[in-house]
């Protein structure tokens, strides 16, 4: 792998190739306040062969399940926050 961008403290970008799978990982840091920072991470995968495409398909299914679970949690949090705001 190699580092393709390094600009601390704002961002970093890495590229790696393993077998027929190429990956690019990017991390971006955004200060929100003196005590908190937002971290945005993206991962782009490119498959070369059949086995690598099958691996990526499994990863996509896992990502979809996690996204669905996260959406349910966020909706529940929003409903609770709305109820608390109405009671106040």
């Amino acid at each position: 792998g190699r580092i393709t961008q390094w600009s601390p403290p704002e961002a970093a970008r890495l590229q790696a190739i393993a077998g027929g799978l190429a990956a690019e990982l990017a991390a971006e840091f955004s200060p929100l306040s003196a005590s908190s920072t937002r971290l945005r991470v993206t991962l782009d995968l490119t498959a070369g062969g059949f086995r690598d495409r099958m691996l990526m398909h499994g990863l996509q299914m896992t990502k979809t399940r996690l996204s669905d679970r996260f959406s349910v949690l966020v909706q529940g949090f929003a409903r609770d926050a709305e109820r608390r705001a109405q009671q106040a």
Side-chain angles (χ1 to χ4, degrees), residues 2-74:
R2 64 187 177 106
I3 297 174
T4 57
Q5 177 188 3
W6 183 255
S7 46
E10 294 89 21
R13 186 174 302 272
L14 305 122
Q15 290 180 334
I17 297 175
L21 198 61
E24 183 172 337
L25 176 76
E28 299 171 3
F29 302 90
S30 303
L32 299 176
S33 68
S35 62
S36 64
T37 300
R38 174 179 293 136
L39 170 61
R40 180 173 180 241
V41 178
T42 58
L43 176 64
D44 292 321
L45 297 173
T46 306
F50 178 74
R51 285 179 21 176
D52 301 317
R53 287 193 300 272
M54 292 303 293
L55 172 64
M56 285 183 55
H57 179 70
L59 292 173
Q60 179 62 41
M61 290 174 54
T62 300
K63 177 186 173 271
T64 300
R65 286 192 301 267
L66 289 173
S67 293
D68 291 347
R69 288 176 59 192
F70 182 72
S71 293
V72 168
L73 290 172
V74 169

Side-chain angles (χ1 to χ4, degrees), residues 69-85:
R69 288 176 59 192
F70 182 72
S71 293
V72 168
L73 290 172
V74 169
Q75 289 171 6
F77 176 79
R79 278 193 300 272
D80 290 345
E82 185 177 12
R83 258 187 252 127
R84 285 192 300 270

